[in-house]
Amino acid sequence: MSIAGALNAALRDALADDPTVVIFGEDVGPLGGVFRVTDALQKQFGEERVWDSPLAEAGIVGTAIGMAMYGLRPVIEMQFDAFSYPAFEQITSHLAKMRNRTQGRVALPIVIRIPYAGGIGGVEHHSDSSEAYWTHTPGLTVVTPSNPADAYSMLREAIASDDPVIFLEPKSRYWVKDAVALPTQTLPMTQAQVLRVGSDVTLLCYGPTVKTALHAAELGEQEGLSVEVIDLRSLSPFDDATVSASVRKTGRAAVIHEAAQFGGYGAEVAARVTERNFFYLSAPILRIAGFDIPYPAPKLEEHYLPTAERVLAALDTWEW
């Protein structure tokens, strides 16, 4: 099953299990979404449970907030990552703050699905990695799966959560397939996972860069380098325990993401890991990221996105 198929199954099962779950967004109805993640759901559950919204992202989120206040569990789709920016004020000023503003009396069980990152030959507005905006906002849980099993399990858990979840879906990985029997339950969505055990360096990755990290680990092994790979899965909250245990073992760490490096999510990871593990580190924590430029044209993507070769080149800058 592909990640897209697993997400579709998670949405279908959530709709079947809970009559308060509704799905809406741009083209999620008859079309089944740009990436077909909501394929056939309207046909099965009807237009009262799954429907197309106007092309108005602020209105989509604002409507979901009102619906959640009255007991529904909306799952809304921002068709592409940068399409979520018109809804930024609704998300950061209202969705993220409502529980605190009401001293816990009003919960907003809303999932905002955002296809994000590059690797599909899209252009600007269709290939952003905007995770740092959401992780900087207290009150939001921000998670991203990298495989079909996690896609199903984490989305089901996100929908069941009583707090808002930004669910980032790596669009370049939608069609990656793996053997998985559904329904399935993997680790809790806020827990990181060690995907590969190593002793020399810890590679921290998430979403689309998990594949990059695993490839770098394989290439590193050919050079005698033992690389531990951790899929963060949850960007906020951050799983300090799993990451620190690995870094204290290896003594070195690097974080990989597609977003521009300056002010990116990797900066927070590097600072956080350093603060907690400074006396265990043998070298500064590295960031391997996209360049500090607007997202390039499709033919230049391969030069912009982090690669396994760039990861190993960065590791070679350390004095071993």
Side-chain angles (χ1 to χ4, degrees):
M1 174 170 287
S2 67
I3 287 180
L7 293 169
N8 179 268
L11 293 170
R12 184 181 64 247
D13 291 351
L15 286 164
D17 292 347
D18 187 346
T20 67
V21 173
V22 294
I23 296 173
F24 62 101
E26 298 166 5
D27 297 320
V28 302
L31 180 65
V34 171
F35 298 100
R36 302 301 186 268
V37 172
T38 56
D39 187 45
L41 295 181
Q42 186 183 80
K43 182 177 181 181
Q44 181 175 354
F45 295 96
E47 295 181 0
E48 292 186 354
R49 302 285 304 282
V50 182
W51 68 89
D52 287 340
S53 70
L55 305 182
E57 289 80 10
I60 293 172
V61 177
T63 299
I65 291 172
M67 297 171 76
M69 286 180 172
Y70 282 87
L72 296 177
R73 289 183 175 270
V75 181
I76 57 179
E77 177 182 309
M78 303 283 105
Q79 196 169 70
F80 284 94
D81 28 53
F83 290 12
S84 64
Y85 301 157
F88 192 83
E89 194 271 339
Q90 287 286 343
I91 296 172
T92 59
S93 296
H94 303 294
L95 179 64
K97 293 179 171 63
M98 188 60 67
R99 187 186 280 278
N100 184 68
R101 181 182 296 148
T102 61
Q103 296 183 337
R105 291 190 293 270
V106 178
L108 294 179
I110 297 172
V111 176
I112 301 181
R113 294 181 41 247
I114 303 180
Y116 84 115
I120 63 165
V123 294
E124 60 179 18
H125 310 308
H126 299 79
S127 300
D128 276 12
S129 295
S130 48
E131 57 269 25
Y133 299 146
W134 312 125
T135 58
H136 185 65
T137 306
L140 299 176
T141 296
V142 184
V143 300
T144 178
S146 65
N147 58 76
D150 270 353
Y152 178 91
S153 181
M154 293 169 68
L155 185 53
R156 290 300 307 271
E157 187 176 349
I159 295 171
S161 172
D162 287 332
D163 287 310
V165 178
I166 304 295
F167 197 89
L168 299 173
E169 300 170 5
K171 63 175 80 77
S172 65
R173 308 293 291 159
Y174 268 138
W175 302 279
V176 170
K177 292 187 177 182
D178 198 1
V180 56
L182 301 180
T184 187
Q185 183 173 352
T186 59
L187 293 174
M189 68 178 181
T190 57
Q191 184 174 332
Q193 183 173 17
V194 178
L195 297 182
R196 180 185 175 113
V197 176
S199 58
D200 293 331
V201 58
T202 300
L203 288 187
L204 303 173
C205 53
Y206 54 89
T209 61
V210 170
K211 176 184 177 182
T212 306
L214 289 172
H215 185 202
E218 292 174 0
L219 295 180
E221 186 177 31
Q222 298 173 14
E223 300 178 5
L225 189 64
S226 178
V227 179
E228 183 146 300
V229 176
I230 294 183
D231 181 355
L232 295 178
R233 300 171 79 246
S234 175
L235 307 186
S236 180
F238 189 82
D239 184 356
D240 290 299
T242 300
V243 172
S244 291
S246 176
V247 172
R248 292 185 179 196
K249 177 181 67 174
T250 64
R252 299 173 187 263
V255 57
I256 315 168
H257 60 71
E258 291 189 7
Q261 185 183 83
F262 188 86
Y265 182 72
E268 170 60 27
V269 172
R272 190 179 189 94
V273 174
T274 299
E275 289 170 352
R276 287 159 175 76
N277 307 285
F278 180 78
F279 294 106
Y280 295 87
L281 292 172
S282 301
I285 295 176
L286 299 177
R287 293 172 291 161
I288 300 95
F291 299 114
D292 296 334
I293 59 172
Y295 201 87
K299 291 184 179 180
L300 298 175
E301 264 190 332
E302 62 180 293
H303 304 291
Y304 173 85
L305 296 174
T307 62
E309 290 75 15
R310 276 180 58 193
V311 172
L312 292 181
L315 301 186
D316 284 340
T317 65
W318 281 327
E319 292 186 4
W320 291 83

